[in-house]
Amino acid sequence: MASPAANLWVLLGLGLAGILLVSKKLKKAVREDFGAFIDKLLLLPPPQPAPPKAPHPLTGLSFAVSDV
């Protein structure tokens, strides 16, 4: 049976190896600038609203609401 100190060293080694593997994967997955910068910004005009197909039933009517 292995001594408790040997088990501790094995666990520490495995933990360190896992940390190194995860850090290498994260380094590849995340760009250094985190995608916060862009090369060129294009400002496009806002889209025009679609013309109404048919007049709404309340078009041209006025009404008032009172809450007493």
Side-chain angles (χ1 to χ4, degrees):
M1 185 165 163
S3 68
N7 288 339
L8 178 64
W9 284 110
V10 169
L11 286 176
L12 285 174
L14 288 175
L16 184 60
I19 290 171
L20 290 175
L21 287 174
V22 168
S23 67
K24 283 183 182 180
K25 283 185 182 181
L26 285 177
K27 221 179 233 185
K28 290 179 184 177
V30 177
R31 292 178 33 192
E32 288 184 19
D33 62 357
F34 298 103
F37 303 101
I38 57 174
D39 294 330
K40 188 175 182 181
L41 176 66
L42 299 175
L43 294 177
L44 301 175
Q48 297 296 324
K53 295 179 183 173
H56 297 284
L58 299 178
T59 302
L61 299 176
S62 46
F63 61 95
V65 176
S66 175
D67 184 14
V68 179

